[in-house]
Amino acid sequence: PKGKGPQGKRITLKVAKNAVRVLFNGRRRLELSKMGITTFPKCLLELADVEEIDLSRNMLRKIPNIIEKFQNLVWLDLHSNQIEELPAEIGTLQNLTFLNLCNNKLTTKGLPEQLTQLRNLRTLNLGLNCLETIPTTLGSLRELVELGLFDNSLTIIPKSVKKLPKIERMNVKRNPLPEFAKEEEPIDTVKRIESLYLVEKKDLCSTCLQTCQGERDELHKLEDMTPGPSDKPNFTSLSTPNSTARDNQEEWRIK
C-alpha cells in the first residue's frame, strides 16, 4: 500500500502471539524489539491482557490512544523510537511501575498532564529527548525511585521533583543546568610561573621565609629520590674484576 514514510514490518497476530514470553515471575512479556515497526500494530489489542510490552528499538512515531486497553500493564519499554508525544490515555495505566521513553524525540509539549496520574510509577526514563523543561506536576509521582533526565536541554529541575520522597537515583547529566555551568578546572600538577621576583633573604618576613625554605626542602627531597645518570658503567653481574671493569677496580679492592 502507498503512503508517506517507511511502511515498516507488518506484525500479524500470529507473529505477536509467538513473541509472548513467560518470565520467571509469571508475567507475560510481549517482546517486539528491533522489528522495524513504524506504527503501533492494532492486532496487539488481542493480547491486551499482557503485563509487559517491549517495543524498543523500532521506528514508532506515535503511541495511539488504544494504549488505554492495556490495563494490566506493569512494564512498558518504548526506548529508541521516534516518538514525539504521548497520548493523554497513558495516564489510565494505573498499574504501571516502569516506563522507559529514553532516546526519542519527546518535547515538553509532548508530555501530557495525565502522565502524573501514574501513581504507582517507580522508574521513569526521559533521557535523550528534546525536553527544555519538565512539568512541576511530576512531583506528584510520589512512588518514583529512579528518574532519568539526562541529555536534554533542561535549565532547571523543579523543587517538587528534587524533593520526591522516595527518589534514590536522578540522572540529570549533560543538561545546561546552572550548577554544571562552571566546571572545576583540571588540576595542573606542574605549577606555571608567570612572574619571578628576586629578593634577598633578609628582606623576607618570617612566614615567607619559612614557606620558601619548606619548598626548597621538598625540592631537595625530589632530587635525592631521582636517580642521576652514572658516568661509569656498572657491572653488577660480575663476580671478579676483568679488563672491562677497570673503572671499578678500586671498589673491588675495598671489598
Side-chain angles (χ1 to χ4, degrees):
K2 294 183 179 180
K4 295 182 180 180
Q7 296 300 313
K9 183 176 180 178
R10 184 170 178 267
I11 301 298
T12 63
L13 181 57
K14 182 179 179 180
V15 171
K17 285 182 176 180
N18 290 335
V20 175
R21 304 286 183 268
V22 179
L23 306 180
F24 70 94
N25 56 10
R27 293 179 187 171
R28 291 160 299 161
R29 177 181 294 182
L30 178 57
E31 296 184 350
L32 293 174
S33 180
K34 296 183 287 186
M35 298 288 286
I37 302 171
T38 57
T39 56
F40 192 91
K42 291 184 179 180
C43 67
L44 298 188
L45 287 174
E46 299 292 330
L47 302 170
D49 57 344
V50 295
E51 292 84 11
E52 300 189 3
I53 294 181
D54 184 359
L55 280 167
S56 64
R57 298 184 179 92
N58 282 294
M59 295 180 286
L60 292 169
R61 292 184 177 275
K62 184 179 180 181
I63 300 300
N65 54 16
I66 58 173
I67 193 69
E68 65 181 350
K69 302 294 184 182
F70 295 80
Q71 286 298 307
N72 290 340
L73 272 187
V74 175
W75 191 92
L76 179 58
D77 193 347
L78 298 169
H79 85 266
S80 302
N81 278 282
Q82 300 178 31
I83 301 169
E84 298 176 358
E85 62 178 347
L86 296 173
E89 288 75 10
I90 194 79
T92 66
L93 306 179
Q94 293 295 303
N95 292 315
L96 206 61
T97 62
F98 176 95
L99 178 58
N100 190 354
L101 294 162
C102 175
N103 193 21
N104 277 284
K105 296 183 178 180
L106 286 169
T107 62
T108 303
K109 292 181 179 180
L111 296 179
E113 184 180 348
Q114 290 78 2
L115 189 65
T116 61
Q117 296 175 7
L118 302 176
R119 304 294 184 181
N120 291 310
L121 202 61
R122 293 174 57 83
T123 299
L124 175 60
N125 193 343
L126 294 170
L128 278 166
N129 276 285
C130 307
L131 302 174
E132 295 182 352
T133 59
I134 55 174
T136 57
T137 50
L138 283 186
S140 63
L141 299 177
R142 312 290 288 179
E143 296 298 316
L144 264 189
V145 175
E146 187 171 5
L147 177 61
L149 298 171
F150 54 92
D151 291 287
N152 278 288
S153 300
L154 302 174
T155 57
I156 188 172
I157 306 296
K159 289 183 180 179
S160 60
V161 176
K162 288 182 178 180
K163 294 182 179 181
L164 283 166
K166 295 186 178 181
I167 199 73
E168 295 179 2
R169 293 176 294 276
M170 185 185 300
N171 189 344
V172 297
K173 292 181 179 179
R174 293 177 295 278
N175 278 285
L177 294 165
E179 52 262 47
F180 298 116
K182 294 182 179 180
E183 296 183 356
E184 294 185 1
E185 295 183 0
I187 298 175
D188 189 355
T189 54
V190 180
K191 294 182 178 180
R192 311 296 176 179
I193 300 177
E194 295 181 355
S195 301
L196 178 64
Y197 300 93
L198 299 177
V199 296
E200 292 185 10
K201 183 177 179 180
K202 63 182 179 61
D203 294 328
L204 293 173
C205 66
S206 58
T207 303
C208 294
L209 180 61
Q210 186 177 1
T211 301
C212 291
Q213 289 175 339
E215 292 183 355
R216 183 184 61 185
D217 293 341
E218 289 294 324
L219 182 61
H220 288 165
K221 288 180 182 179
L222 290 174
E223 291 176 347
D224 293 338
M225 292 171 60
T226 305
S230 176
D231 295 332
K232 298 181 179 181
N234 187 14
F235 303 95
T236 56
S237 62
L238 295 178
S239 58
T240 56
N242 56 32
S243 58
T244 60
R246 291 175 183 174
D247 293 332
N248 292 339
Q249 284 182 3
E250 289 298 325
E251 182 181 349
W252 284 103
R253 290 193 184 99
I254 292 174
K255 291 182 178 180

